[in-house]
């Protein structure tokens, strides 16, 4: 059974930091492209950052220079370090894996107060 379990969300003031983690099981983690998506109230889910199995990384423009995605294949875990948070970063953050099939985590809430 595949599971992607996110943790690390919460409430933070603008300018603060959070680190999200996503622990995966039931997949060949090292072969998967891993990503973080977010969905703000009333908006579509959007890609925040993605890290490929070979280590290539891409970010959505609004988080470049503030967020850092990384992965630890030995721990089957992907991270999202979020710095200089602003209220526009508020939303539910979802972990995503993709290889032969794709899977989603249940999401973790991030709320940034002004």
């Amino acid at each position: 059974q595949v599971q992607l379990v996110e943790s690390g969300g919460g409430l933070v003031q603008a300018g603060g930091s959070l680190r999200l983690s996503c622990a995966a099981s039931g997949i060949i983690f090292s072969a998967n492209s891993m990503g973080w998506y977010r969905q703000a109230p009333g908006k579509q889910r959007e890609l925040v950052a993605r890290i490929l199995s070979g280590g290539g990384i891409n970010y959505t423009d609004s988080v470049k220079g503030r967020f850092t995605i990384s992965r630890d294949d030995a721990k089957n875990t992907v991270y999202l370090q979020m710095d200089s948070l602003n209220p526009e970063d508020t939303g539910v953050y979802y972990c995503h894996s993709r290889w032969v099939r794709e899977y989603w985590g249940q999401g973790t809430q991030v709320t940034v107060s002004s």
Side-chain angles (χ1 to χ4, degrees), residues 3-8 19-25 29 34-36 70 72 75-80 94-97 104-106:
Q3 284 191 311
L4 302 178
V5 181
E6 301 101 333
S7 61
R19 189 191 194 206
L20 305 183
S21 299
C22 170
S25 59
F29 185 83
M34 300 299 299
W36 288 96
S70 61
D72 186 337
K75 295 183 178 180
N76 287 2
T77 301
V78 62
Y79 305 96
L80 186 67
Y94 296 91
C95 180
H96 177 261
S97 69
W104 293 90
Q106 82 286 351

Side-chain angles (χ1 to χ4, degrees), residues 37-48 90-92 94 104:
Y37 287 71
R38 67 185 176 193
Q39 187 165 20
K43 295 187 177 180
Q44 289 188 330
R45 193 174 298 188
E46 65 170 349
L47 175 67
V48 175
T90 293
V92 180
Y94 296 91
W104 293 90

Side-chain angles (χ1 to χ4, degrees), residues 5 8 15 17-18 24 27 32 44 49 59 63 76 78 82 84 87-88 91 96 100 102 104 106 108 114:
V5 181
S17 298
L18 285 173
I27 60 173
N32 275 261
Q44 289 188 330
Y59 297 98
V63 308
N76 287 2
V78 62
M82 305 187 294
S84 301
E88 290 70 39
H96 177 261
V100 176
E102 63 175 356
W104 293 90
Q106 82 286 351
T108 185
S114 57

